[in-house]
Amino acid sequence: NDIDIATDGSMLVSFSNQIFLSPDGSTNSFTSRGIPGASRISAAIAPSDPNVMYVISSNSGQVLNPGTTSDPRGLEVSLDKGVTWHTVIPGGIPSIDVFRQYDGTGGQGGWDQAIAVDPSNPDRVLVGGVQFYEFNLNRTSSPLGGNWVKAAVLNSFATPYYIHADNHSMHWYDANTVFVIGDGGVFRSTDGGQT
C-alpha cells in the first residue's frame, strides 16, 4: 500500500492491484484504475508538478519466474494527473529488472520497492528494489520514453556508488539530499543522487 499527496492536495493511493486518484482526498472523490496482474504497486508524484505521476509494479511472476512476485510490470508515467498512462520501461526484461538479484537470478518485487521523484525535476525519478535505477523522461520521444540507467552498485563497499540491496523507501529532503532506506540501513546522497 502506498499513499502520495501532491503539492496541490491531490492524491494517488496504491492498494492491492489498483491505484485510486482524487483531486483533493475528500470522501467519494476517488476514481480507480486497475493494474491487472499487479501484486504490489508503488507510486510517486512529482513535487514540482502535481500532474506528473509515476507507478512501478510487480506481478505474480507470470513472465520470468512463475509463482514469485519478482517480475516488474514496468514503469509507467502520467503527465495529466492520472488520466492517461504511458509505459516507459517495459517489464519482463531481466537485464534491466530493478527487482532481480545482482547475479541476474530471481528477484523480489513483492518484498522491496521504492520510488521517488526529484523535487527539482519532474522528469527524473529514482527507483529501488534489489537494484537501484534512475529514469530520465524524454517528453519529445514517440512513444514516450527515456533513459533507464543503473544508478548504484550492490557489491563494492568502497565506491561512492554503493547502496545495499533491498530498498524499501526513499525520501527527498531537498533538491540535493535524498535518503534511501533498506535492509542495509539508511543511505544519504547530498548531490542529488549522483553518489
Side-chain angles (χ1 to χ4, degrees):
N1 302 333
D2 192 15
I3 299 173
D4 296 279
I5 302 171
T7 52
D8 66 355
S10 57
M11 295 180 71
L12 188 160
V13 178
S14 305
F15 180 77
S16 186
N17 63 345
Q18 296 185 73
I19 56 172
F20 297 87
L21 300 156
S22 168
D24 57 13
S26 61
T27 303
N28 297 322
S29 68
F30 288 87
T31 59
S32 66
R33 171 187 173 241
I35 302 182
S39 63
R40 183 172 178 185
I41 304 168
S42 297
I45 302 172
S48 61
D49 185 350
N51 293 304
V52 180
M53 300 175 169
Y54 293 88
V55 168
I56 185 90
S57 59
S58 62
N59 63 21
S60 299
Q62 301 148 354
V63 178
L64 299 173
N65 299 313
T68 70
T69 57
S70 63
D71 303 324
R73 291 189 67 263
L75 178 67
E76 298 178 82
V77 64
S78 174
L79 302 178
D80 55 12
K81 207 175 274 196
V83 175
T84 57
W85 291 88
H86 308 273
T87 299
V88 289
I89 297 297
I93 303 173
S95 61
I96 61 169
D97 184 343
V98 71
F99 303 136
R100 291 182 71 79
Q101 302 296 331
Y102 185 75
D103 63 5
T105 59
Q108 49 197 46
W111 167 249
D112 43 25
Q113 282 187 26
I115 187 169
V117 183
D118 184 332
S120 65
N121 181 356
D123 296 340
R124 179 174 179 247
V125 63
L126 300 177
V127 181
V130 174
Q131 307 284 334
F132 191 81
Y133 278 80
E134 175 182 329
F135 177 74
N136 292 283
L137 180 66
N138 179 351
R139 294 184 189 222
T140 63
S141 67
S142 181
L144 201 60
N147 188 20
W148 180 249
V149 296
K150 195 174 288 188
V153 297
L154 307 178
N155 62 345
S156 298
F157 294 101
T159 75
Y161 308 105
Y162 172 77
I163 291 181
H164 192 280
D166 304 335
N167 309 137
H168 297 287
S169 187
M170 270 185 267
H171 300 281
W172 288 87
Y173 177 73
D174 56 36
N176 294 314
T177 309
V178 60
F179 295 91
V180 179
I181 299 96
D183 286 6
V186 178
F187 290 78
R188 180 184 68 172
S189 171
T190 57
D191 57 9
Q194 298 305 307
T195 60

